[in-house]
Amino acid sequence: AKVACYLPCNTRLIVMTSISKGANVAVAAPAVRAELTWAAGAGSPTVDATALLVTGAGKVGGDDDMVFYNQPDHPSGAVRHLGKQATHDSLLVDLGRVPAAVDRVVLAASADGGAFGQVADLRLRLLDAASGAPLADFAMSPTTETALIGGELYRRAGGWRFRAVGQGYASGLAGLATDFGISVTEDEPAPPAPGPRL
């Protein structure tokens, strides 16, 4: 029998699982890539991805449990910041290496120089790290917030699931991090220059 190809026969169809806020999907892949993506636009704020490794008590175990551009590797090797491109920022999560004390990996984002309402087509995409196969696609539409929890990977019945969260913070990344027990220190103002000697 002949097989009709309406696309080039070597085309690989990729079906992205679009999910809405509050929905969750099973994650069978041993490692995933979480991609925060957006559309380029003049005057848009800088967007960055962050991961927090959170215990069952709802807090991190220590400041090392926050992975972002200034602290790109978790000591366990479970989470790594892959670096930012013009329209996306990525994190790699090796689920098999997540410490036993960690109940969930929170996938967050922050906007510097404006609010998320100025960022077009903001999405959190989850992909199989080995094959690149898409696992979930969550479109977000925050407005005045400058930080948000996009989603979370969490343990369930011996496996992992991903939940779309979409919770915004007007207090920025510092406010979000503080909620999870991260110590945030403000930069000390520079001392005034000494005046002329008399």
Side-chain angles (χ1 to χ4, degrees), residues 53-61 65 99-105 154-155 180:
L53 287 79
V54 180
T55 68
K59 302 290 185 183
V60 297
D65 288 339
V102 172
D103 187 59
R104 58 196 164 115
V105 178
Y154 63 99
R155 298 184 193 270
F180 286 101

Side-chain angles (χ1 to χ4, degrees), residues 138-162:
F138 176 39
M140 299 174 283
S141 53
T143 55
T144 59
E145 298 91 340
T146 51
L148 62 87
I149 298 172
E152 60 186 15
L153 293 155
Y154 63 99
R155 298 184 193 270
R156 178 60 54 88
W160 287 90
R161 298 186 72 83
F162 170 76

Side-chain angles (χ1 to χ4, degrees), residues 58-190:
K59 302 290 185 183
V60 297
D63 289 355
D64 286 346
D65 288 339
M66 181 173 174
V67 177
F68 64 119
Y69 62 90
N70 266 353
Q71 188 166 272
D73 296 292
H74 190 262
S76 67
V79 183
R80 186 158 48 99
H81 182 253
L82 297 177
K84 188 161 73 171
Q85 305 298 322
T87 56
H88 70 272
D89 197 6
S90 302
L91 296 154
L92 178 70
V93 184
D94 185 339
L95 297 169
R97 298 179 73 172
V98 174
V102 172
D103 187 59
R104 58 196 164 115
V105 178
V106 173
L107 303 169
S110 60
D112 185 28
F116 275 118
Q118 300 166 259
V119 180
D121 195 23
L122 183 67
R123 314 178 84 84
L124 178 59
R125 301 172 68 234
L126 199 70
L127 304 103
D128 184 317
S131 67
L135 305 174
D137 178 28
F138 176 39
M140 299 174 283
S141 53
T143 55
T144 59
E145 298 91 340
T146 51
L148 62 87
I149 298 172
E152 60 186 15
L153 293 155
Y154 63 99
R155 298 184 193 270
R156 178 60 54 88
W160 287 90
R161 298 186 72 83
F162 170 76
R163 178 186 294 117
V165 178
Q167 177 186 343
Y169 284 75
S171 51
L173 186 59
L176 186 155
T178 301
D179 271 6
F180 286 101
I182 295 284
S183 301
V184 178
T185 55
E186 297 292 335
D187 292 336
E188 292 291 330

